[in-house]
Amino acid sequence: MAETINWQDFAKIDMRVGTIVEVNDFPEARNPAYQVHIDFGEEIGVKKTSAQITTLYTKEKLLGTQVVAVVNFPKKQIANFMSECLILGAVNGKDVVLLQPEATVANGLKIS
């Protein structure tokens, strides 16, 4: 287990639900990945990220899928692409299973 955090630390993490609206190949990435654009609703808008989720998901399967992501990380340059959020998933080696709401919810809904 990682280091224990307090409630104030957890409260700083802004996790939201968003819908994947665009998925592109990312051949410049060091490890196989997609460039993913996620709509987080009116307040946040569309953010993009690089996601190493190619072993279990096709671009077609991802389109329209709702995911949970951290939206308040600083931007990070990955090859020639600027990542603006982090999709959450359960990691087992190179396989990542995305965290998703059980039912469709409004984009931008906060996770707590």
Side-chain angles (χ1 to χ4, degrees):
M1 188 167 86
E3 176 185 347
T4 301
I5 63 172
N6 60 39
W7 180 256
Q8 290 80 13
D9 292 334
F10 176 74
K12 293 176 188 176
I13 303 167
D14 192 356
M15 294 178 283
R16 305 285 181 122
V17 175
T19 300
I20 296 175
V21 295
E22 183 179 341
V23 184
N24 299 304
D25 291 323
F26 191 9
E28 298 85 3
R30 194 175 331 179
N31 296 312
Y34 294 128
Q35 293 176 351
V36 181
H37 298 247
I38 306 165
D39 181 0
F40 291 103
E42 200 171 300
E43 179 187 345
I44 297 171
V46 175
K47 288 187 171 267
K48 57 189 179 179
T49 188
S50 168
Q52 295 178 13
I53 54 176
T54 59
T55 60
L56 298 179
Y57 300 94
T58 64
K59 292 184 291 183
E60 296 75 21
K61 184 176 181 182
L62 289 168
L63 211 53
T65 299
Q66 285 198 306
V67 294
V68 177
V70 176
V71 297
N72 64 333
F73 277 135
K75 294 179 180 179
K76 181 178 180 181
Q77 185 80 37
I78 301 172
N80 61 344
F81 184 77
M82 189 63 70
S83 184
E84 302 171 316
C85 62
L86 175 69
I87 298 175
L88 299 179
V91 180
N92 183 15
K94 293 187 180 206
D95 293 339
V96 178
V97 176
L98 297 175
L99 299 186
Q100 301 174 279
E102 185 178 347
T104 302
V105 298
N107 288 335
L109 202 61
K110 190 167 176 62
I111 303 298
S112 61

